[in-house]
Amino acid sequence: MIAITNGKVVTVTKGTFENGTVLVEDGKIKAAGAGIQIPEGAKVIDAKGGYITPGLIDCHTHICNFSEPRTMPGQRDDGNEGSDPITPQVRALDAVNPEDWAVRPVREAGFTTVYTQPGSGNIIGGTGIAIKLWGHTAEEMMIPGTEEMKFALGENPKRFHGLEQHRMPWTRMGTAALLRETLYKAKNYSDKLKAAETDPSKAPEPDFKLDALVRVIRGEQRVRIHCHRADDIITAIRIAKEFGLDFTLEHATEGYKVRDVIAENHLYCIVGPLLLPPSKQEIWNLKLENPGMLTDAGVKVCLTADTGSETKWLPMQAGLLLRRGMTEENIMKGLTIYPAEVLNLDHRIGSLEEGKDADVAVFDGNPLYNTTLCRMTMIDGEVVYSTLDE
């Protein structure tokens, strides 16, 4: 038994307790709150008046895929299989590098789970996977059943394939057309598979690409759609609704312009990076007020740093939103329970509740202030980082 005590316990879903305790047993949370009696013989971890929170989650990263340091030859290329604009068959899991330099600083910033996925160079980029930031192999890190499919609209597929490789898509029209064509083929393939369940003669010829999209087209696997500009957001919604997809909006940089449509469709927005320079046209209208405006419209907003080790700065960057329309409660939800919901893991992570994984972070102040340091990170009940005794 482990007792993390003498801290402000932020459960996220069950309230905040000024002088609380979190009990951990066998890798799970046994209790979290105030007035909890510490069992005799328990190992006591003194939070020293700091904040005790769920392990933080970034549900849109490329950690362990776009491995760092990025100056190493070939490493940066692992996130985009650029041989084809349609690659649903590739898996981020097969490129997970547990030795990625980004793992340690992100873990030491209080993050316990991230979702790593292919980049946005392809219209359909393949599946990502949620990983715990601890382990020697991809199998030790991965959380089975968290695979979600990556789509991308906007400038990246156009540039990566049209401009650099002189093939479709050259335009947003071409991007949408290729996406529709692939989903149309996937639906036909899926329909034939269903028919073959009662009549084997109707089985289609095996197709490795289309097979990877069967659960997507049946609405059984979530799609993460990269879209910055407002018109790309609307295109994502249009096509996803045509084919009955379960989907989220990734980045949604101009989401504030169409926040009413996003709210009407009850969509999650995974917003970030928050501090991008105007490096391409589709992010020229980035504004820090965007997450607050989306939240006010009733949209659940997750926050992301997007790439690799930059995730370690995400809580501090998120703190900038406190003066720009977001409450502390919604920011914390955007770093914990909402990402857990996007990954369909809210029954396991994202809050301090009895029975959930013992993924816990201890900070020496408010996690959203730039003067605060993470002092301890626990994953599945194991302390993987601590400076509390220093």
Side-chain angles (χ1 to χ4, degrees):
M1 179 79 71
I2 299 173
I4 309 168
T5 191
N6 188 27
K8 184 173 183 175
V9 174
V10 182
T11 70
V12 175
T13 55
K14 302 292 184 180
T16 297
F17 303 89
E18 288 297 331
N19 188 10
T21 297
V22 176
L23 293 183
V24 172
E25 186 175 40
D26 298 328
K28 299 292 183 180
I29 296 170
K30 190 171 179 63
I36 294 173
Q37 186 168 356
I38 298 174
E40 185 177 348
K43 178 182 177 180
V44 176
I45 296 176
D46 186 356
K48 300 181 178 179
Y51 280 58
I52 306 170
T53 77
L56 304 183
I57 306 166
D58 188 339
C59 68
H60 180 128
T61 81
H62 305 288
I63 291 173
C64 295
N65 272 199
F66 284 71
S67 293
E68 298 180 68
R70 290 184 178 167
T71 54
M72 296 172 67
Q75 290 276 358
R76 188 174 175 85
D77 298 333
D78 277 346
N80 284 303
E81 178 50 55
S83 59
D84 190 324
I86 305 293
T87 58
Q89 75 276 27
V90 306
R91 308 184 307 167
L93 176 64
D94 295 324
V96 166
N97 172 20
E99 302 300 321
D100 183 357
W101 182 88
V103 170
R104 181 173 178 177
V106 171
R107 185 174 63 218
E108 293 180 358
F111 287 83
T112 54
T113 301
V114 300
Y115 179 79
T116 188
Q117 62 186 328
S120 51
N122 294 347
I123 300 169
I124 302 181
T127 53
I129 189 83
I131 59 175
K132 297 280 186 97
L133 293 176
W134 183 251
H136 301 295
T137 67
E139 281 70 22
E140 289 179 351
M141 300 174 76
M142 69 177 284
I143 304 176
T146 57
E147 296 85 355
E148 297 178 344
M149 187 65 69
K150 177 69 175 286
F151 287 5
L153 303 177
E155 295 180 15
N156 288 4
K158 287 171 50 185
R159 183 184 67 253
F160 199 84
H161 295 280
L163 179 63
E164 297 179 6
Q165 303 191 49
H166 306 289
R167 65 187 177 196
M168 194 174 183
W170 289 53
T171 63
R172 280 177 164 81
M173 294 184 297
T175 299
L178 271 177
L179 181 54
R180 277 195 179 92
E181 178 185 2
T182 305
L183 291 172
Y184 179 81
K185 290 178 179 177
K187 185 179 186 309
N188 285 338
Y189 185 81
S190 172
D191 289 345
K192 289 178 181 179
L193 288 176
K194 285 198 176 215
E197 292 175 4
T198 54
D199 183 354
S201 68
K202 295 182 179 180
E205 284 294 317
D207 188 308
F208 195 46
K209 279 189 176 183
L210 295 180
D211 198 63
L213 288 169
V214 169
R215 294 187 64 235
V216 167
I217 205 67
R218 293 179 180 178
E220 298 169 356
Q221 184 177 75
R222 182 160 284 165
V223 178
R224 313 288 293 276
I225 308 180
H226 167 110
C227 48
H228 284 281
R229 229 167 63 177
D231 56 335
D232 291 324
I233 293 170
I234 297 301
T235 297
I237 294 172
R238 181 187 309 121
I239 294 176
K241 290 178 72 173
E242 285 174 18
F243 289 92
L245 306 183
D246 176 2
F247 67 106
T248 63
L249 302 174
E250 308 295 305
H251 307 303
T253 302
E254 292 186 358
Y256 59 92
K257 294 183 178 182
V258 289
R259 58 190 183 275
D260 56 335
V261 180
I262 296 171
E264 287 169 7
N265 285 279
H266 308 289
L267 300 173
Y268 289 90
C269 284
I270 292 80
V271 178
L274 300 171
L275 301 179
L276 283 174
S279 55
K280 54 184 178 179
Q281 188 275 334
E282 63 188 4
I283 58 173
W284 286 356
N285 292 318
L286 182 150
K287 57 195 299 183
L288 285 173
E289 290 78 11
N290 180 36
M293 295 170 77
L294 287 166
T295 299
D296 286 346
V299 177
K300 289 186 176 183
V301 173
C302 305
L303 300 170
T304 180
D306 184 19
T307 50
S309 59
E310 290 90 343
T311 290
K312 67 184 178 183
W313 304 121
L314 184 55
M316 179 186 70
Q317 294 174 11
L320 297 171
L321 305 179
L322 286 171
R323 290 293 300 272
R324 294 169 175 85
M326 284 196 85
T327 65
E328 187 172 318
E329 178 184 0
N330 278 324
I331 294 173
M332 284 302 298
K333 286 181 177 179
L335 293 170
T336 54
I337 194 63
Y338 290 165
E341 291 173 3
V342 165
L343 300 174
N344 293 309
L345 288 173
D346 50 303
H347 63 293
R348 287 186 54 180
I349 60 176
S351 61
L352 298 177
E353 297 183 57
E354 182 181 356
K356 287 194 173 185
D357 295 358
D359 292 357
V360 185
V362 175
F363 299 88
D364 60 13
N366 189 317
L368 306 181
Y369 292 178
N370 64 3
T371 54
T372 294
L373 291 174
C374 177
R375 302 300 301 276
M376 189 197 80
T377 307
M378 172 183 284
I379 298 178
D380 292 329
E382 296 289 333
V383 176
V384 296
Y385 166 72
S386 180
T387 60
L388 284 172
D389 293 332
E390 295 180 2

